[in-house]
PDB file of all heavy atoms in Angstrom:
ATOM      1  N   PRO A 265     107.219  28.500  44.988  1.00 97.00           N
ATOM      2  CA  PRO A 265     107.453  29.175  46.270  1.00 97.00           C
ATOM      3  C   PRO A 265     106.159  29.657  46.911  1.00 97.00           C
ATOM      4  O   PRO A 265     105.155  29.894  46.238  1.00 97.00           O
ATOM      5  CB  PRO A 265     108.327  30.367  45.863  1.00 97.00           C
ATOM      6  CG  PRO A 265     107.878  30.681  44.463  1.00 97.00           C
ATOM      7  CD  PRO A 265     107.611  29.327  43.839  1.00 97.00           C
ATOM      8  N   ASP A 266     106.206  29.828  48.248  1.00 97.00           N
ATOM      9  CA  ASP A 266     105.096  30.472  48.946  1.00 97.00           C
ATOM     10  C   ASP A 266     105.091  31.968  48.672  1.00 97.00           C
ATOM     11  O   ASP A 266     104.040  32.581  48.505  1.00 97.00           O
ATOM     12  CB  ASP A 266     105.225  30.243  50.453  1.00 97.00           C
ATOM     13  CG  ASP A 266     105.200  28.772  50.818  1.00 97.00           C
ATOM     14  OD1 ASP A 266     104.273  28.076  50.365  1.00 97.00           O
ATOM     15  OD2 ASP A 266     106.100  28.319  51.544  1.00 97.00           O
ATOM     16  N   LEU A 267     106.290  32.553  48.656  1.00 98.00           N
ATOM     17  CA  LEU A 267     106.465  33.992  48.480  1.00 98.00           C
ATOM     18  C   LEU A 267     107.375  34.223  47.286  1.00 98.00           C
ATOM     19  O   LEU A 267     108.378  33.513  47.122  1.00 98.00           O
ATOM     20  CB  LEU A 267     107.110  34.629  49.716  1.00 98.00           C
ATOM     21  CG  LEU A 267     106.607  34.197  51.091  1.00 98.00           C
ATOM     22  CD1 LEU A 267     107.492  34.788  52.185  1.00 98.00           C
ATOM     23  CD2 LEU A 267     105.158  34.615  51.287  1.00 98.00           C
ATOM     24  N   ALA A 268     107.069  35.225  46.472  1.00 98.00           N
ATOM     25  CA  ALA A 268     107.921  35.570  45.337  1.00 98.00           C
ATOM     26  C   ALA A 268     108.260  37.054  45.402  1.00 98.00           C
ATOM     27  O   ALA A 268     107.370  37.900  45.300  1.00 98.00           O
ATOM     28  CB  ALA A 268     107.233  35.233  44.020  1.00 98.00           C
ATOM     29  N   MET A 269     109.536  37.354  45.613  1.00 98.00           N
ATOM     30  CA  MET A 269     110.022  38.721  45.624  1.00 98.00           C
ATOM     31  C   MET A 269     110.488  39.038  44.208  1.00 98.00           C
ATOM     32  O   MET A 269     111.570  38.621  43.774  1.00 98.00           O
ATOM     33  CB  MET A 269     111.166  38.880  46.623  1.00 98.00           C
ATOM     34  CG  MET A 269     110.726  38.934  48.079  1.00 98.00           C
ATOM     35  SD  MET A 269     109.779  37.505  48.675  1.00 98.00           S
ATOM     36  CE  MET A 269     109.766  37.827  50.451  1.00 98.00           C
ATOM     37  N   VAL A 270     109.663  39.770  43.463  1.00 97.00           N
ATOM     38  CA  VAL A 270     109.808  39.911  42.017  1.00 97.00           C
ATOM     39  C   VAL A 270     110.279  41.313  41.663  1.00 97.00           C
ATOM     40  O   VAL A 270     109.671  42.314  42.074  1.00 97.00           O
ATOM     41  CB  VAL A 270     108.474  39.607  41.312  1.00 97.00           C
ATOM     42  CG1 VAL A 270     108.589  39.822  39.806  1.00 97.00           C
ATOM     43  CG2 VAL A 270     108.035  38.173  41.609  1.00 97.00           C
ATOM     44  N   ALA A 271     111.350  41.389  40.866  1.00 95.00           N
ATOM     45  CA  ALA A 271     111.868  42.687  40.427  1.00 95.00           C
ATOM     46  C   ALA A 271     110.935  43.309  39.399  1.00 95.00           C
ATOM     47  O   ALA A 271     110.524  42.655  38.434  1.00 95.00           O
ATOM     48  CB  ALA A 271     113.266  42.516  39.840  1.00 95.00           C
ATOM     49  N   VAL A 272     110.592  44.575  39.610  1.00 95.00           N
ATOM     50  CA  VAL A 272     109.727  45.315  38.687  1.00 95.00           C
ATOM     51  C   VAL A 272     110.548  45.721  37.468  1.00 95.00           C
ATOM     52  O   VAL A 272     111.657  46.245  37.606  1.00 95.00           O
ATOM     53  CB  VAL A 272     109.141  46.557  39.382  1.00 95.00           C
ATOM     54  CG1 VAL A 272     108.324  47.396  38.405  1.00 95.00           C
ATOM     55  CG2 VAL A 272     108.284  46.141  40.578  1.00 95.00           C
ATOM     56  N   PRO A 273     110.062  45.499  36.256  1.00 91.00           N
ATOM     57  CA  PRO A 273     110.839  45.838  35.059  1.00 91.00           C
ATOM     58  C   PRO A 273     110.768  47.320  34.726  1.00 91.00           C
ATOM     59  O   PRO A 273     109.771  47.994  35.017  1.00 91.00           O
ATOM     60  CB  PRO A 273     110.182  45.001  33.961  1.00 91.00           C
ATOM     61  CG  PRO A 273     108.747  44.902  34.400  1.00 91.00           C
ATOM     62  CD  PRO A 273     108.786  44.836  35.913  1.00 91.00           C
ATOM     63  N   ALA A 274     111.840  47.809  34.078  1.00 81.00           N
ATOM     64  CA  ALA A 274     111.867  49.190  33.629  1.00 81.00           C
ATOM     65  C   ALA A 274     111.539  49.301  32.145  1.00 81.00           C
ATOM     66  O   ALA A 274     111.382  50.405  31.625  1.00 81.00           O
ATOM     67  CB  ALA A 274     113.239  49.809  33.884  1.00 81.00           C
ATOM     68  N   ALA A 275     111.477  48.170  31.460  1.00 73.00           N
ATOM     69  CA  ALA A 275     111.191  48.167  30.032  1.00 73.00           C
ATOM     70  C   ALA A 275     110.325  46.951  29.710  1.00 73.00           C
ATOM     71  O   ALA A 275     110.070  46.105  30.570  1.00 73.00           O
ATOM     72  CB  ALA A 275     112.501  48.139  29.223  1.00 73.00           C
ATOM     73  N   THR A 276     109.877  46.865  28.468  1.00 74.00           N
ATOM     74  CA  THR A 276     109.014  45.761  28.044  1.00 74.00           C
ATOM     75  C   THR A 276     109.761  44.802  27.117  1.00 74.00           C
ATOM     76  O   THR A 276     109.138  44.079  26.339  1.00 74.00           O
ATOM     77  CB  THR A 276     107.764  46.304  27.337  1.00 74.00           C
ATOM     78  OG1 THR A 276     108.173  47.100  26.206  1.00 74.00           O
ATOM     79  CG2 THR A 276     106.926  47.149  28.274  1.00 74.00           C
TER      80      THR A 276
END
Side-chain angles (χ1 to χ4, degrees):
D266 300 309
L267 317 172
M269 284 58 169
V270 177
V272 176
T276 58

